[in-house]
Amino acid sequence: MDKTQKTFAIGVDLGGTNTVFGIVDAEGNIVAQDSIKTQAYHTAEAFVEAGVKCLQPLIAQVGGIEQIAGMGIGAPNANYYSGAIETAPNIAWAHERVVPLARMFSEKIRPSLSCGHLPRNGESHPDGLPPHYGGGLGRGSFPVRLTNDANAAAMGEMAYGVARGMKNFIVITLGTGVGSGIVINGQLVYGHDGFAGELGHVTMVRGKEGRLCGCGRTGCLETYCSATGVARTAREILANTDRPSLLRDKPADQIESLDVSIAAGKGDEVANEIFQFTGKMLGEACADFAAFSSPEAFIFFGGLCKAGDLIMKPIEESYNQHVMPIFKGKAKFLVSGLMNANAAVLGASALALR
Amino acid sequence: MDKTQKTFAIGVDLGGTNTVFGIVDAEGNIVAQDSIKTQAYHTAEAFVEAGVKCLQPLIAQVGGIEQIAGMGIGAPNANYYSGAIETAPNIAWAHERVVPLARMFSEKIRPSLSCGHLPRNGESHPDGLPPHYGGGLGRGSFPVRLTNDANAAAMGEMAYGVARGMKNFIVITLGTGVGSGIVINGQLVYGHDGFAGELGHVTMVRGKEGRLCGCGRTGCLETYCSATGVARTAREILANTDRPSLLRDKPADQIESLDVSIAAGKGDEVANEIFQFTGKMLGEACADFAAFSSPEAFIFFGGLCKAGDLIMKPIEESYNQHVMPIFKGKAKFLVSGLMNANAAVLGASALALR
């Protein structure tokens, strides 16, 4: 590698509970990592200050800020274009507020051009610039990019995961919700306003019988195929039938998607039917997505993927049954290559390398 | 404009009946135009030869092949990546055959590097190269690009129509079928195999009650919202109810979408209901497309658009009713800016300018 090239990037996974800061090398190894509690601060300013303080020793470990190409942040309700978190309901300091997080971090991290050191506690400049900052406007600016979690996952797959070498693919995250990161011609799709890639909110069941979604609408893919949706399907089947199932061993309101996985693995008929139902709908949704962007692969990420073939086989079968003949058998169905790493940190760091 | 820049492009609209060749200047004016019958030839080779013969006087009119940047062809079942028409059911010489049309035209048009003249009738070289061809392999290659009709329309809107200056938009063609050309980050979306952008074939009605589609599946958007689909809706309502309607003045099997437009324009209740139904479904489909690529505009093209507000208003209303709150009220709903020009020729020519 070119010696003049900066060899590390900072990846940040900003979640509702913890914010993890990692320093990632060019091969996708996290060489240093630490975290802070996301909600322990009353203001965004205090959060950023704590974050920079947390980063200082990590940056020192790899030889200083000069070794670092930039920083990428994966966060809920993040807008890539504006670099801001826009009214994130689950983060107290970003609730009902637009927080320009990329700019705030950039200004706090911006290195002194003369000696490269970062502001220490109590040392920060009154206008937010590091001491010794001597460059013209923007000259010393440290690049910070922000995007949502699913887009960060897609960047991570392209840089370090199963999408290496691919130019057209879709990452679908199956967690509490259903998220997506869409890559076309090697670029993430942000749309004209920065909010594209909300595939959890395509409508799968139209009209009144669709499940109510957190977005205020009904019938969204997410209400059926997220981990939460799977648990909801389980509760519905248990309530509406008398069929025996291992899932009845637990109070219905405590059933989680993991219970369905475990029961299905033991051959439970109801649990397997739940995965068939979930996979069929995901396959139908992917068939529509193929008509849009004809990706080389659909890459699934998140807790529900741990069910392996129990979920992946029904998805692929349903896809090939429902997709236009011209696309049949062409797309790959893959589980994320980053499932065992700190994927969110890796993905966010990949954002900084673009 | 730079004098060394080639100032014209050839646009070709290859349809089931006619193939129109046009020479387009940098401002989007068709300065010369002629056509041949698409199906008057038994082989693709004979078709290409006739096409080049048709082009010769047009090219001469603008000062020879040196003035022309390249050629774009809009054709059914066209693949941009391969430059081939792949088994087009409605074209005899491309039926059950892959025809590498871009290469074939390029080789026939490739100018003589020494004198720039084109092969005249009876003068073509036995291996398909023009006489006097003196360059090394590829040196004299004339650029020819091929894409499907809807993608060509999208290119035309971006170069000369209502999408000038836009980077993210979707053209939806409402004709015999429903086609689409999707532009993201200023680039047409072709997908990994060249067949992306088949939005007429997203599934709007799932399960057995969906209408049978020409693609072999059921419930596709196209079966409801193409001109053919609108006529089908009219016949269904007339057959299933006793409601009075101007549409009953004609035998049901002869009703076309234009009849529905005319009746709706006269205040016919059934006809207006047909447009409401069609617009509602298109709006719901666009709401899903927004979740994918969040375009700045949806641009409608084709015969059905002549109904104007009768169709456009229901689409936009339904969209804003069904789309995620974050996208509400943001997208523009436009009718093509090329409806009165030879849009297909213009669009195809824009392909050559990229």
Side-chain angles (χ1 to χ4, degrees):
Chain A
M1 180 174 282
D2 180 357
K3 288 254 177 190
T4 63
Q5 204 173 329
K6 300 188 177 196
T7 45
F8 299 95
I10 300 171
V12 183
D13 172 22
L14 196 161
T17 307
N18 296 306
T19 297
V20 182
F21 297 86
I23 313 273
V24 179
D25 71 14
E27 283 76 43
N29 305 302
I30 298 174
V31 296
Q33 181 173 315
D34 202 356
S35 68
I36 61 174
K37 292 281 169 200
T38 306
Q39 313 261 14
Y41 309 90
H42 291 298
T43 64
E45 289 70 18
F47 168 80
V48 169
E49 186 139 347
V52 172
K53 200 173 154 192
C54 172
L55 270 169
Q56 277 180 275
L58 307 180
I59 293 170
Q61 274 184 53
V62 297
I65 195 75
E66 293 80 5
Q67 306 303 317
I68 296 179
M71 170 162 151
I73 307 172
N77 297 64
N79 188 306
Y80 178 78
Y81 292 145
S82 67
I85 294 184
E86 308 199 357
T87 58
N90 300 320
I91 298 176
W93 48 259
H95 185 47
E96 297 185 354
R97 203 195 135 181
V98 173
V99 177
L101 207 62
R103 182 170 60 73
M104 290 168 73
F105 267 111
S106 177
E107 287 178 357
K108 280 279 176 193
I109 295 179
R110 188 159 39 184
S112 154
L113 290 178
S114 54
C115 73
H117 94 208
L118 284 168
R120 291 196 200 89
N121 206 13
E123 198 191 359
S124 64
H125 196 275
D127 67 0
L129 301 179
H132 312 298
Y133 175 76
L137 191 64
R139 199 177 138 212
S141 165
F142 181 75
V144 180
R145 294 208 178 93
L146 182 71
T147 195
N148 74 38
D149 331 37
N151 286 342
M155 294 299 298
E157 294 298 342
M158 191 155 52
Y160 309 117
V162 294
R164 270 174 292 189
M166 289 187 195
K167 296 274 183 200
N168 292 280
F169 65 94
I170 299 179
V171 169
I172 297 175
T173 64
L174 304 174
T176 311
V178 172
S180 62
I182 304 166
V183 172
I184 291 177
N185 293 336
Q187 302 168 326
L188 256 171
V189 174
Y190 289 111
H192 89 290
D193 60 354
F195 290 113
E198 286 288 357
L199 297 185
H201 298 277
V202 296
T203 303
M204 296 305 293
V205 179
R206 301 199 182 272
K208 285 174 191 163
E209 65 268 43
R211 289 182 184 172
L212 187 63
C213 183
C215 76
R217 295 145 70 239
T218 56
C220 294
L221 180 64
E222 162 166 315
T223 64
Y224 297 90
C225 299
S226 60
T228 326
V230 166
R232 202 162 159 180
T233 304
R235 283 193 292 273
E236 277 184 15
I237 294 183
L238 295 177
N240 296 336
T241 71
D242 286 332
R243 295 170 62 188
S245 169
L246 295 170
L247 295 170
R248 295 196 188 275
D249 294 351
K250 215 174 177 177
D253 62 351
Q254 288 172 29
I255 290 174
E256 294 180 356
S257 65
L258 183 61
D259 301 310
V260 185
S261 291
I262 292 168
K266 289 178 181 166
D268 187 81
E269 212 174 88
V270 168
N272 273 295
E273 201 174 293
I274 294 166
F275 278 122
Q276 285 291 335
F277 171 84
T278 310
K280 176 174 176 288
M281 191 177 281
L282 279 167
E284 288 186 78
C286 289
D288 281 348
F289 305 157
F292 201 104
S293 71
S294 186
E296 179 176 350
F298 294 94
I299 301 168
F300 291 85
F301 184 95
L304 211 55
C305 300
K306 291 183 182 138
D309 280 353
L310 287 173
I311 184 75
M312 294 302 290
K313 278 205 171 167
I315 296 173
E316 187 167 356
E317 279 169 17
S318 168
Y319 174 83
N320 284 315
Q321 186 188 334
H322 290 100
V323 79
M324 280 185 83
I326 205 168
F327 299 122
K328 231 178 257 289
K330 281 185 184 174
K332 300 181 188 111
F333 285 79
L334 306 172
V335 172
S336 166
L338 307 174
M339 293 287 282
N340 296 319
N342 194 329
V345 167
L346 279 182
S349 78
L351 197 69
L353 298 174
R354 297 295 288 184
Chain B
M1 178 172 285
D2 181 355
K3 288 257 177 186
T4 62
Q5 203 173 331
K6 300 187 178 197
T7 46
F8 299 94
I10 301 170
V12 183
D13 173 22
L14 196 163
T17 307
N18 296 306
T19 296
V20 182
F21 297 87
I23 313 275
V24 179
D25 71 15
E27 284 76 43
N29 304 302
I30 300 175
V31 296
Q33 180 174 316
D34 201 356
S35 68
I36 61 174
K37 291 283 169 199
T38 305
Q39 311 262 15
Y41 309 91
H42 290 298
T43 65
E45 288 71 17
F47 168 79
V48 170
E49 186 141 346
V52 172
K53 199 173 155 193
C54 172
L55 270 169
Q56 276 180 277
L58 308 180
I59 293 171
Q61 272 183 56
V62 297
I65 195 76
E66 293 80 6
Q67 305 304 317
I68 296 178
M71 171 162 151
I73 307 171
N77 296 62
N79 188 306
Y80 178 79
Y81 292 145
S82 68
I85 293 184
E86 308 199 357
T87 57
N90 300 319
I91 297 176
W93 47 259
H95 184 47
E96 296 185 356
R97 201 195 137 178
V98 173
V99 177
L101 206 62
R103 182 171 60 73
M104 290 169 74
F105 267 110
S106 176
E107 286 178 357
K108 280 280 178 194
I109 295 179
R110 187 160 42 186
S112 154
L113 290 178
S114 52
C115 72
H117 93 207
L118 284 166
R120 292 196 200 90
N121 203 13
E123 200 191 356
S124 64
H125 195 277
D127 67 1
L129 300 179
H132 310 300
Y133 175 76
L137 192 65
R139 199 176 141 213
S141 165
F142 181 75
V144 180
R145 294 207 180 92
L146 182 71
T147 195
N148 74 38
D149 331 36
N151 287 341
M155 294 300 297
E157 294 297 341
M158 190 155 53
Y160 309 117
V162 294
R164 270 173 293 188
M166 291 188 193
K167 295 273 184 201
N168 292 279
F169 65 94
I170 298 179
V171 168
I172 297 176
T173 63
L174 304 174
T176 311
V178 172
S180 62
I182 304 166
V183 172
I184 290 177
N185 293 335
Q187 302 168 327
L188 256 172
V189 174
Y190 290 110
H192 88 290
D193 61 353
F195 291 112
E198 286 288 356
L199 297 185
H201 298 277
V202 296
T203 303
M204 295 306 293
V205 178
R206 300 197 183 273
K208 285 175 191 163
E209 65 269 43
R211 287 183 185 169
L212 186 64
C213 184
C215 75
R217 295 145 70 239
T218 57
C220 294
L221 180 63
E222 164 166 312
T223 64
Y224 297 91
C225 300
S226 60
T228 327
V230 166
R232 202 162 159 180
T233 303
R235 283 193 291 274
E236 276 184 17
I237 295 184
L238 296 178
N240 297 336
T241 70
D242 286 331
R243 295 170 61 189
S245 170
L246 294 170
L247 295 170
R248 293 197 189 275
D249 295 350
K250 213 174 179 179
D253 62 352
Q254 288 174 29
I255 291 174
E256 293 180 358
S257 65
L258 182 61
D259 302 310
V260 184
S261 291
I262 292 168
K266 291 179 181 167
D268 187 82
E269 213 174 87
V270 168
N272 272 294
E273 201 175 294
I274 293 166
F275 277 121
Q276 286 290 334
F277 171 84
T278 309
K280 176 174 175 289
M281 190 176 282
L282 279 166
E284 289 186 77
C286 289
D288 281 348
F289 305 157
F292 200 105
S293 71
S294 187
E296 180 177 348
F298 294 93
I299 301 167
F300 292 85
F301 183 95
L304 212 54
C305 299
K306 292 186 181 137
D309 280 353
L310 287 172
I311 184 74
M312 294 302 290
K313 278 203 169 166
I315 295 173
E316 187 166 357
E317 279 169 19
S318 168
Y319 173 84
N320 284 314
Q321 186 188 333
H322 289 100
V323 79
M324 282 185 83
I326 205 168
F327 300 121
K328 233 179 256 288
K330 281 185 184 173
K332 300 182 188 107
F333 285 79
L334 307 172
V335 171
S336 165
L338 307 175
M339 293 285 283
N340 296 318
N342 194 330
V345 167
L346 279 181
S349 78
L351 196 70
L353 297 174
R354 298 293 287 184

